Amino acid sequence: MTTLILPVLYTDADGYARFRDDTLPLAEGTPAARLSALMTAEGCRFRFSPVGFSSDFHCTTAPQWLVVLQGRMEIGLRDGTARVFRPGECFYSSDTLPSGAVFDVQVHGHRSRQIGEEPLVTLFVPTRPDTAQGWR
């Protein structure tokens, strides 16, 4: 079976944001055009971030796919690690605040920033938890 390896930003049991790479099966379609199972989206939105954009640490409000369309985006974690995403790259962001938790500026979340000389354009596709969880 054909698969894709995709980055996932998630909240670990200790409350810290982490990255892992998960396998997305491409079990549908034809041999010439493999497809994943259909995942239901809640909609989509585009974001333009000018050169110099940088956020404070925050959690994702709802699980979503994030696709970089233009520029480069860095996602930084509390442990100092960071990943850079370029045009055409995506990741699944499920770094949500644990149920019942109050945001702790020393523990929770990730930060994002635009890097380089080109503005950042991203596409956010919020997912329904019942469909996005099926591939992990």
Side-chain angles (χ1 to χ4, degrees):
M1 175 189 331
T2 304
T3 61
L4 292 176
I5 305 298
L6 296 171
V8 176
L9 173 64
Y10 70 101
T11 304
D12 209 344
D14 61 5
Y16 285 89
R18 305 222 195 293
F19 275 109
R20 70 171 178 256
D21 290 331
D22 280 357
T23 302
L24 176 64
L26 302 176
E28 299 178 17
T30 67
R34 304 304 303 163
L35 298 168
S36 70
L38 185 63
M39 292 178 247
T40 305
E42 295 289 325
C44 70
R45 74 173 28 170
F46 293 86
R47 181 175 78 184
F48 174 87
S49 302
V51 171
F53 164 80
S54 181
S55 76
D56 291 329
F57 277 90
H58 62 281
C59 289
T60 299
T61 55
Q64 60 192 345
W65 287 100
L66 190 144
V67 183
V68 175
L69 302 174
Q70 174 185 302
R72 292 183 296 155
M73 178 182 211
E74 180 184 83
I75 301 294
L77 306 181
R78 295 271 181 199
D79 66 5
T81 62
R83 279 182 132 169
V84 175
F85 296 91
R86 293 170 172 74
E89 295 181 328
C90 68
F91 65 95
Y92 188 68
S93 182
S94 62
D95 171 32
T96 56
L97 191 62
S99 180
V102 175
F103 185 79
D104 180 339
V105 297
Q106 300 300 316
V107 176
H108 298 120
H110 62 278
R111 64 169 177 74
S112 58
R113 71 182 184 113
Q114 172 277 339
I115 57 176
E117 301 299 319
E118 187 174 23
L120 176 64
V121 177
T122 46
L123 171 65
F124 294 84
V125 183
T127 59
R128 286 189 24 205
D130 60 324
T131 58
Q133 299 297 327
W135 64 276
R136 291 184 283 131

